[in-house]
Each structure stands twice: as C-alpha cells, then as structure tokens.
Amino acid sequence: GKLAMTNQEKRTLALNVNKLGENEIMQVLEIIKKSGGKKRQAATVDGDEELEIDLELLDTRTLRALEKYVNSVLQPKPTAPAKAGAVSRGKAGGGPGSALYSAVQRAVGGVGS
C-alpha cells in the first residue's frame, strides 16, 4: 500500500492545489469524483463560491493521486525553454465572476448526483 500522508504533506498539497489554473482544478475534481463514496463530498463550493477541498475526507490513494497530478503540473518541464509569462500562472483572477468559479460550480454541482 501507499504511505499515509503526513499533515505537512497535506498542507503542501493544499497550497499547490491553490496554484492551479482552471483546467487543472477541473482535473483535480475529476480525481476526487472518481474516488467515489463519501470522498465526493470533499470538494464543495461555499456561499462565496470559494472552492473547498477537504483533504481529510480523502483516502491515501486519492491524496497520492492528487499529489502526483499536482506535482506533474507544477514541475517545470526541463525540455521546454521557460516562457517569460510562465511565472505568473496561477494568478488568474479569482473573483466570483471569474471563469474558474463558474467552471468549478458546474463540476461540483455534478459531484453529489
């Protein structure tokens, strides 16, 4: 089996998830949805349309899958030359009207069904 995540690892994972762009967040939600059962409730949108992912509700396998995905996204690809604008990705607007929120709501809306 896989090693359970330490609290430190969960914190790091949570911070990294916060750096993701809209498409990556959709993928994170897919990973959580695939894990099924109670774990589907781990991703919720609160009244401020803020996405909350409760890592405590996820099992080790799901957490490690998320960690692997997030790391693969955030790790700079050594082959490609760094783009000038690459550093600021993840700074995409996070206001209630942003595309991220509407996309997240659509995804989360289908989680409980």
Side-chain angles (χ1 to χ4, degrees):
K2 296 192 182 269
L3 280 171
M5 262 201 181
T6 64
N7 285 334
Q8 185 56 51
E9 284 178 307
K10 284 181 191 170
R11 261 200 296 276
T12 303
L13 179 59
L15 287 171
N16 285 339
V17 167
N18 283 331
K19 296 177 191 165
L20 299 177
E22 180 183 338
N23 292 338
E24 289 88 5
I25 291 287
M26 300 301 281
Q27 189 57 43
V28 164
L29 292 174
E30 276 305 307
I31 294 170
I32 292 174
K33 268 201 286 198
K34 281 199 197 89
S35 65
K38 265 220 184 75
K39 298 182 280 295
R40 289 165 153 245
Q41 294 153 21
T44 55
V45 175
D46 70 19
D48 297 323
E49 297 187 1
E50 189 75 59
L51 174 67
E52 291 285 331
I53 297 176
D54 187 349
L55 298 177
E56 297 301 324
L57 292 180
L58 299 175
D59 62 358
T60 299
R61 203 186 62 187
T62 307
L63 286 169
R64 291 298 178 197
L66 287 177
E67 180 185 51
K68 188 173 156 197
Y69 172 70
V70 167
N71 288 344
S72 74
V73 171
L74 292 178
Q75 254 153 19
K77 310 278 185 291
T79 45
K83 294 187 193 67
V87 182
S88 64
R89 65 175 299 273
K91 292 271 190 320
S98 73
L100 172 60
Y101 282 130
S102 51
V104 160
Q105 273 193 305
R106 271 201 309 281
V108 175
V111 168
S113 54

